[in-house]
Amino acid sequence: MIVDLAIITVKAALVLFMVLNLAGILGWIERKGSALIQDRIGANRASIFGFAGLGLVNTLIADPLKFLTKEDFIPPAGDKFLHMLAPCMALFPALVTFAVIPFGDVLHLGDRVINLQVAHLNVGILYVFAMGSLGVYGIVIGAWASNNKFSLLGGVRGSAQMISYEIAMGLSVIGVLMIYGTLELQEIVRGQATLIGALLPSWLSFMHPLIGWLPAWGIFLQPLAFLLFFTAAVAETKRIPFDLPEGESELVAGYHVEYSGGKFLMFFAGEFAEIVTVAGLVTTLFFGGWQIPYLLRDGFHFPWGGQWLLPQIAVVFLQVGAFTVKVFFFCWLQILLRWTVPRFRYDQVMRLGWKMLLPLALMNIVVTALWIVAWQ
Amino acid sequence: MAGKDLTPPATQGVARPLENPIQWFHAASSVVSGKWQCRSMDMASVIFYLLATLLVISSLLVVFLRNVVHCAMALVTALLIVAVLFVTLHAPMVGILQVMVYAGAIMVLFLFVIMFLNPVELERRRGVWWGFGTILAVMLACVLTPMFIIDESPANPLAATESFGSPEMLAKSLFNEFVLPFEIASVLLLVAIIGAVVLAKREH
Amino acid sequence: MVALHHYLILSAVIFAIGVIGVLIRRNLIVVLMSIELMLNAVNLTFIAFSRYLGSADGQVSVFFVMAVAAAEAVIGLAIIISVFRHRQSLDPQEMQLLKW
């Protein structure tokens, strides 16, 4: 029993470590990536005794130190307790959501089977949506406690945007849940191991050579849901093109204008942790999570008959590595999106969420249901 | 197309140790009670009393704080603690719904309305009336409590299967026996939406 | 193991605290929040009984209570907003008399 609890602690510490470090590295990638896109050099001044460490010194050491040593200012007419509580409420859901995202299959240690996921909940993906709902509080309370009209305006816009896109996010995932038949994320990822050829009904068997060799990933079975979910998730995390709540040129940094120093760092880190979480969710639901095509638990089994058996440790490393690579890719994609697409106006954001994404998600559910009936 | 039958047979018989929070709770409970050799006060009771104390404190804060926004945050805390109590009572689906719906949507709506109406002055504390109301409520609690000390209640709760309180169980009930209330609930929510929009519109 | 009556007594206490809130507060929004507290106490009772009797009906009832509570909170807040527009106050004492 003690060993079991120790294993869970190690898994949780590992995931927390990975998310926080990735959030830090993403700060550097954002600055250098934006510099590349905008044809400039970016931040390159910080160094320790001349050792600049590829710019990582700048972000991982200098930036946090800069934030932590700034003066911590609480607006005198604002609400002191809520002002201190808001950044915690913004950071907490972003970190905790990663507990249900599986980063590997099973690991056999002796005669123990360890599921590489921090919490195997039977409500699975609903936990993610619940934590997304809690994320609204950081914005609302942060805006209110600052006693500042710009802040309040940014906060109200931000929370209205977040609750609108929560609906689109939830509905777009229902198609995926119907196809894999389960709410649990680890089972969804395991369900993506089969090849589409095994799922084709008899009257579609002529398409075997065309698509039968593809693995049953969410992106092939539910492409519209992927687009809807990705858009809604980027809007939920208030990244550009949806970042009017913190609009840098219009609202003077919106709901976190009165925060400086360590509290701003918490908001900032929360936003980057949410980027990692969205990337993790998109890979789990639509891109096979830790699956590499044709890699099963004992090695590669190619559809043309070849096999390449591997020891179990190698398979686990490959799976965790594949997951990490996919998460990196989607983090990079969101950063690229930020520096490429211009910002939406607020009424355009609301119109997109309610009048375009919501009906499309509902239509996706109906079409998926009809498709499932036809495939049986 | 369900993904459930894709588990390779090799791992189906092996016990998977401790994967979800309900199992962690009972494992921790048995570990600690085993070590402490204490029969009346095991870990489950300790956790229950801790949660109960926090819940009572947050409810008192909801009722007795003077700043409305602080009351709302205390209520959010109380709702989250109730969700944790649901999870310890083998109702994880209802617990997650409590967080998603109650703490995540209804209380955000409360906060919106509070910010919209913008109450600035704190409420005056009226000592006599607050004392009188408190005494009435304490009397209510004293009347209710003896009714609940049932000696015939099962001290050992019925052994819950793995799927008790899971989404599948809830869904089976909702779509078989309770399908009519389910449909009526959706009509009710539609009526509530229309009513709220009509009531809160500015008249021209 | 926690016996059933512990949960029931906790529910009774939370319900009574909600009653205090409805009786003594002079702010309509806090009154509505106390009503939500009472509904949560009842939900706790339902779930405790559902666990101790091994029946799923308690959890389904909580599902419906939550839906009704959401609808009621929405309508209550809309009424509060519309009343506030007319009386410019959230104090129930100011709303005792009809317009003359």
Side-chain angles (χ1 to χ4, degrees), chain B residues 50-120:
Chain B
L50 186 69
L51 288 173
T53 316
L54 289 174
L55 181 58
V56 170
I57 292 176
S58 349
S59 317
L60 288 171
L61 286 177
V62 171
V63 167
F64 285 117
L65 280 177
R66 296 162 66 189
N67 184 342
V68 188
V69 180
H70 289 176
C71 294
M73 293 317 296
L75 185 58
V76 172
T77 314
L79 293 173
L80 291 175
I81 297 174
V82 169
V84 176
L85 278 171
F86 284 173
V87 173
T88 61
L89 278 170
H90 287 258
M93 178 72 177
V94 178
I96 283 287
L97 280 178
Q98 166 97 353
V99 176
M100 217 167 31
V101 170
Y102 242 123
I106 297 181
M107 291 312 299
V108 171
L109 185 61
F110 266 99
L111 278 170
F112 266 22
V113 171
I114 292 174
M115 293 196 314
F116 178 67
L117 299 179
N118 208 357
V120 175

Side-chain angles (χ1 to χ4, degrees), chain A residues 12-45:
Chain A
L14 200 67
V15 166
L16 191 64
F17 181 75
M18 190 189 98
V19 173
L20 284 175
N21 276 317
L22 202 51
I25 293 176
L26 273 177
W28 169 65
I29 294 180
E30 170 117 35
R31 294 174 85 163
K32 280 300 192 181
S34 66
L36 274 177
I37 291 176
Q38 294 174 345
D39 200 21
R40 55 185 171 92
I41 300 181
N44 64 348
R45 287 287 185 251

Side-chain angles (χ1 to χ4, degrees), chain A residues 240-242 335-344:
Chain A
I240 299 182
F242 297 99
I335 291 181
L336 187 68
L337 200 60
R338 172 179 185 164
W339 294 102
T340 315
V341 181
R343 175 184 296 148
F344 275 113

Side-chain angles (χ1 to χ4, degrees), chain A residues 39-300:
Chain A
D39 200 21
R40 55 185 171 92
I41 300 181
N44 64 348
R45 287 287 185 251
S47 59
I48 301 181
F49 300 116
F51 172 66
L54 281 179
L56 276 176
V57 166
N58 193 320
T59 311
L60 290 180
I61 303 179
D63 244 358
L65 268 182
K66 172 189 78 170
F67 279 123
L68 290 171
T69 52
K70 279 190 179 170
E71 177 198 359
D72 185 30
F73 178 74
I74 301 183
D79 198 324
K80 290 188 179 35
F81 174 66
L82 291 181
H83 198 264
M84 286 192 278
L85 189 62
C88 312
M89 284 194 288
L91 180 60
F92 172 76
L95 293 177
V96 164
T97 314
F98 225 87
V100 289
I101 297 182
F103 51 93
D105 201 356
V106 291
L107 180 65
H108 293 272
L109 273 187
D111 54 348
R112 265 176 212 287
V113 178
I114 305 175
N115 187 19
L116 288 177
Q117 183 188 24
V118 177
H120 190 100
L121 304 177
N122 54 1
V123 298
I125 194 143
L126 290 183
Y127 173 83
V128 170
F129 295 136
M131 293 301 126
S133 313
L134 288 184
V136 183
Y137 282 109
I139 315 305
V140 165
I141 297 297
W144 172 259
S146 302
N147 198 30
N148 178 339
K149 298 258 185 312
F150 285 117
S151 189
L152 192 61
L153 196 55
V156 167
R157 281 185 184 180
S159 41
Q161 175 185 311
M162 282 179 88
I163 58 183
S164 313
Y165 282 90
E166 262 169 36
I167 301 176
M169 220 166 67
L171 284 178
S172 58
V173 168
I174 290 185
V176 176
L177 299 178
M178 283 200 292
I179 288 191
Y180 295 109
T182 172
L183 281 174
E184 307 172 20
L185 288 174
Q186 184 72 292
E187 302 303 322
I188 291 180
V189 177
R190 289 201 181 117
Q192 299 186 26
T194 53
L195 302 179
I196 295 189
L199 298 170
L200 282 174
S202 50
W203 54 275
L204 272 183
S205 52
F206 61 91
M207 294 178 72
H208 231 277
L210 264 178
I211 59 172
W213 47 271
L214 286 173
W217 282 4
I219 180 74
F220 302 125
L221 299 176
Q222 289 271 290
L224 180 62
F226 163 66
L227 287 173
L228 296 174
F229 180 77
F230 193 56
T231 311
V234 169
E236 178 84 10
T237 59
K238 293 181 299 303
R239 296 279 297 169
I240 299 182
F242 297 99
D243 85 328
L244 203 57
E246 21 173 302
E248 276 149 10
S249 39
E250 281 120 28
L251 277 180
V252 200
Y255 62 88
H256 44 66
V257 66
E258 295 281 353
Y259 287 90
S260 63
K263 294 181 195 157
F264 183 74
L265 182 65
M266 286 172 81
F267 271 120
F268 203 56
E271 180 168 328
F272 281 116
E274 281 181 343
I275 296 181
V276 179
T277 306
V278 166
L281 277 174
V282 167
T283 60
T284 304
L285 292 171
F286 296 102
F287 281 87
W290 41 258
Q291 299 268 5
I292 301 179
Y294 318 126
L295 177 64
L296 297 179
R297 274 186 199 182
D298 48 354
F300 283 94

Side-chain angles (χ1 to χ4, degrees), chain B residues 35-56:
Chain B
K35 281 181 149 329
W36 286 356
Q37 304 281 317
C38 175
R39 248 163 304 156
S40 60
M41 198 67 171
D42 61 311
M43 190 70 165
S45 297
V46 168
I47 290 183
F48 170 73
Y49 285 123
L50 186 69
L51 288 173
T53 316
L54 289 174
L55 181 58
V56 170

